[in-house]
Amino acid sequence: MGIAMNINMPNSPLLRIFSTLFFLSLLSCNNDFKQDDYRAYFGGEVLNPTNRYIYFSKDGVVIDTIPLQKDNTFFVQFDSLAPGMYTFKHDPEYQYVYFDKNDSIMVRLNSNNFDESIIFCGRGDAKNNYLMETYLKDEAEKEKMFDVFDYGFAKFNANIDSTYNKNKKSYLSHKKDINWSKEFDLFAKAELDFNYYSKKELYPIIHKLRTSEDLFEKLPAKYYNYRKNIDFNNVELSTYSPFVFYLSHLLNNLGSVKYHNHFSDVDLALTTNINKLNIADTLIKNVKVKNNILNNIAFSYLLEDQNMVNNQKFLAIYRKYSTDNSSKNEILKIENAIKLLKIGNQLPSVSLINKDGVTVSSNTIMNKKTVLFFWTKEALTHLAAAHKKVLAFKLQHPEYQYIAVNLDEDQKNWVELLGNYKFEGIQEYRCANFEEVKNKWAITKINRTLILDGSGKIKDAFTNLFEVQFASKLK
């Protein structure tokens, strides 16, 4: 019925997608691809797009920027595409897609419900739909896991083993039915195994946090035996999220400090993360994998830590182990930004846009005591909570001006969204270029708040509106 209806709608984007897909299917069925022909096709439709592009990447590097047409469809032919795991991103969301030789893959998605809406079709669709279904099932399982982490060991172990065995049965069944390649199986098996291993790594940590019971010394001697069978140097998996998340959980487990009461919170975070760097350097020998993991540790730490001295101590160890000196290294960019944000320095100037669409230099509006905070439409709860906090501080400290900087790209959406609120007395701007703000102000999380003195010099560049002692910093 749906096809018949679409035939009567010649301008239907979906009909054109399926028409293209049908043509490619015929091409595939004719088996006219030569042995050295690595042509592949990727296209689809985006419902409710947030921007006009799809970014197609391999190992975190964008290899093609695909524009959306007026009807929100996209299509690209790759003259030569090596088989492997890729990602497609429609800001701010991304997902994986695996290409075997000469695959012709179409995807349909809705940005309002990104992961749950994704459907693949075409040559190569079955394995990708399996991976997508498995991902969604894993995400649903994670929602239920916190109560499971409260269980005693026997009950916990029985629970996760039961789930793993059920998932393994599904994996083996799909592997047989789809008959996917050995190369794809590396990722399908990783999705199965590393989600299971992550639960085992997380169990003693979360169990202690939630129940205060320390099981670290009580776990069976063979509990971590699975670690012996893991190839920590597999380059293909080095940016694949189930593997990366597992390594993060493993390093959290191995790097944890036993005697917490010997450290302040910031020193505990520093010691723990330096431990993780040391372990990663010992555990992982492949340079590419090691650099990826070191970057993940560093990025996570710098997202949370706000102590300038500790940041420098941590980065010294990071630089000792990392050989990633490329200009694209986000950690080096953050380090360079941090150096510019010392107390007493002038805040580096960036371009901001006001609600009238006029671009201004930040240093022209920060000529008095200033509180600078950030928000995005992707976190509306934070938007309301941060502005509410600022309005309260404004009553207590009217000598400050309060400037909110939106980190999104769409001017119209930003202005319309602000129209739903009444934040009188707060100056609203949008960043003209997020990369500039990130690189000059080290903005890696929306909770960051900056306080400037009367001459635009930095009083505190690493604070947070929601800190208990924040109000005292305004005196």
Side-chain angles (χ1 to χ4, degrees):
M1 182 181 298
I3 295 177
M5 289 174 64
N6 281 332
I7 288 174
N8 294 324
M9 299 170 63
N11 292 321
S12 166
L14 198 56
L15 177 60
R16 287 197 292 278
I17 290 174
F18 282 113
S19 297
T20 303
L21 176 62
F22 179 70
F23 168 76
L24 295 176
S25 297
L26 288 177
L27 192 64
S28 300
C29 290
N30 290 335
N31 294 319
D32 63 351
F33 292 113
K34 298 178 182 178
Q35 188 174 0
D36 60 350
D37 185 351
Y38 282 85
R39 272 179 295 164
Y41 304 86
F42 184 50
E45 181 181 18
V46 180
L47 303 180
N48 301 306
T50 58
N51 59 79
R52 304 310 302 171
Y53 297 96
I54 295 289
Y55 300 98
F56 190 77
S57 303
K58 174 71 172 170
D59 297 329
V61 178
V62 175
I63 59 177
D64 203 346
T65 299
I66 312 169
L68 293 185
Q69 302 303 313
K70 290 181 180 179
D71 58 7
N72 297 331
T73 62
F74 66 96
F75 183 78
V76 63
Q77 173 183 322
F78 296 104
D79 293 332
S80 181
L81 188 70
M85 186 65 79
Y86 295 83
T87 61
F88 60 95
K89 182 177 183 180
H90 184 66
D91 277 335
E93 305 281 357
Y94 80 96
Q95 196 47 262
Y96 291 99
V97 58
Y98 189 93
F99 276 82
D100 278 311
K101 185 175 181 289
N102 304 132
D103 273 351
S104 307
I105 297 174
M106 295 288 179
V107 61
R108 192 168 190 259
L109 63 91
N110 188 331
S111 66
N112 290 343
N113 198 22
F114 191 88
D115 291 328
E116 291 79 1
S117 69
I118 289 175
I119 300 174
F120 295 99
C121 58
R123 178 183 170 111
D125 63 343
K127 59 182 179 286
N128 282 295
N129 281 323
Y130 165 76
L131 211 59
M132 196 68 231
E133 291 163 11
T134 303
Y135 167 78
L136 292 174
K137 187 165 57 178
D138 289 338
E139 290 300 298
E141 285 178 5
K142 288 176 185 177
E143 295 292 323
K144 306 172 185 175
M145 277 306 298
F146 281 100
D147 289 338
V148 176
F149 287 129
D150 290 350
Y151 295 167
F153 171 73
K155 187 177 179 181
F156 167 80
N157 207 52
N159 180 285
I160 66 166
D161 281 354
S162 173
T163 301
Y164 176 76
N165 290 332
K166 181 174 65 175
N167 292 342
K168 187 174 183 179
K169 185 177 179 180
S170 174
Y171 155 78
L172 292 171
S173 174
H174 282 85
K175 180 180 179 180
K176 180 180 178 181
D177 292 343
I178 299 173
N179 191 29
W180 57 53
S181 65
K182 179 182 177 183
E183 290 76 16
F184 174 78
D185 190 58
L186 173 69
F187 296 94
K189 190 67 162 57
E191 178 84 25
L192 172 72
D193 288 343
F194 287 114
N195 281 293
Y196 173 63
Y197 299 157
S198 287
K199 294 173 186 177
K200 294 177 77 75
E201 297 291 346
L202 286 167
Y203 174 58
I205 299 172
I206 296 180
H207 185 83
K208 184 176 180 181
L209 286 173
R210 288 174 62 89
T211 70
S212 299
E213 181 184 14
D214 190 341
L215 293 176
F216 282 93
E217 304 297 330
K218 301 176 183 178
L219 294 173
K222 296 182 179 180
Y223 180 74
Y224 294 114
N225 273 5
Y226 59 87
R227 292 175 178 172
K228 299 175 183 177
N229 300 317
I230 297 173
D231 178 7
F232 292 104
N233 296 290
N234 191 310
V235 177
E236 291 298 312
L237 294 177
S238 64
T239 59
Y240 188 48
S241 60
F243 178 71
V244 173
F245 288 152
Y246 168 72
L247 278 180
S248 175
H249 300 321
L250 169 69
L251 293 169
N252 283 338
N253 201 347
L254 295 176
S256 61
V257 178
K258 190 170 184 179
Y259 302 105
H260 289 187
N261 57 326
H262 292 183
F263 298 91
S264 65
D265 288 344
V266 292
D267 287 342
L268 176 63
L270 173 66
T271 303
T272 300
N273 281 278
I274 285 178
N275 284 349
K276 288 157 68 173
L277 293 177
N278 290 332
I279 294 165
D281 179 64
T282 302
L283 187 66
I284 303 169
K285 301 305 178 187
N286 182 277
V287 171
K288 181 177 179 181
V289 178
K290 181 188 293 188
N291 282 339
N292 284 337
I293 298 306
L294 292 175
N295 286 349
N296 286 333
I297 296 169
F299 195 75
S300 297
Y301 175 69
L302 294 171
L303 278 175
E304 297 302 325
D305 184 63
Q306 297 162 5
N307 184 289
M308 182 74 75
V309 174
N310 282 2
N311 281 345
Q312 294 306 312
K313 291 178 181 177
F314 172 85
L315 287 166
I317 304 298
Y318 166 81
R319 288 193 300 272
K320 175 183 174 183
Y321 296 141
S322 175
T323 58
D324 182 6
N325 297 316
S326 69
S327 61
K328 295 181 179 179
N329 187 340
E330 294 296 323
I331 308 306
L332 297 182
K333 292 178 183 178
I334 293 171
E335 179 182 5
N336 290 333
I338 288 172
K339 290 177 181 177
L340 298 175
L341 298 175
K342 293 179 181 178
I343 294 173
N345 281 9
Q346 198 77 29
L347 183 68
S349 178
V350 304
S351 295
L352 300 175
I353 302 173
N354 66 21
K355 286 191 283 188
D356 295 324
V358 178
T359 300
V360 300
S361 174
S362 62
N363 61 12
T364 64
I365 60 173
M366 297 179 194
N367 49 11
K368 60 181 293 187
K369 292 182 176 180
T370 303
V371 171
L372 192 64
F373 67 105
F374 304 87
W375 63 277
T376 168
K377 65 180 176 62
E378 303 303 327
L380 294 181
T381 301
H382 170 80
L383 156 65
H387 280 77
K388 185 178 179 180
K389 274 278 188 185
V390 165
L391 289 174
F393 290 133
K394 191 175 188 303
L395 291 175
Q396 299 169 11
H397 296 278
E399 70 275 19
Y400 280 84
Q401 65 174 350
Y402 297 83
I403 298 177
V405 177
N406 174 263
L407 301 176
D408 301 318
E409 295 181 354
D410 193 300
Q411 176 80 7
K412 182 180 178 182
N413 286 349
W414 168 58
V415 174
E416 289 179 352
L417 183 57
L418 280 176
N420 298 327
Y421 300 90
K422 289 185 178 180
F423 299 133
E424 295 180 7
I426 299 176
Q427 299 180 43
E428 300 284 350
Y429 290 89
R430 183 176 67 82
C431 67
N433 184 325
F434 175 69
E435 287 298 313
E436 180 187 34
V437 171
K438 184 177 69 173
N439 294 339
K440 289 187 176 181
W441 292 355
I443 301 303
T444 54
K445 59 179 181 178
I446 56 173
N447 286 335
R448 267 281 302 287
T449 306
L450 292 84
I451 304 174
L452 308 180
D453 65 18
S455 59
K457 292 183 178 178
I458 296 167
K459 189 174 180 182
D460 192 334
F462 295 90
T463 186
N464 185 330
L465 287 173
F466 300 95
E467 280 186 10
V468 176
Q469 303 298 324
F470 181 80
S472 65
K473 297 182 178 182
L474 301 181
K475 295 177 181 178

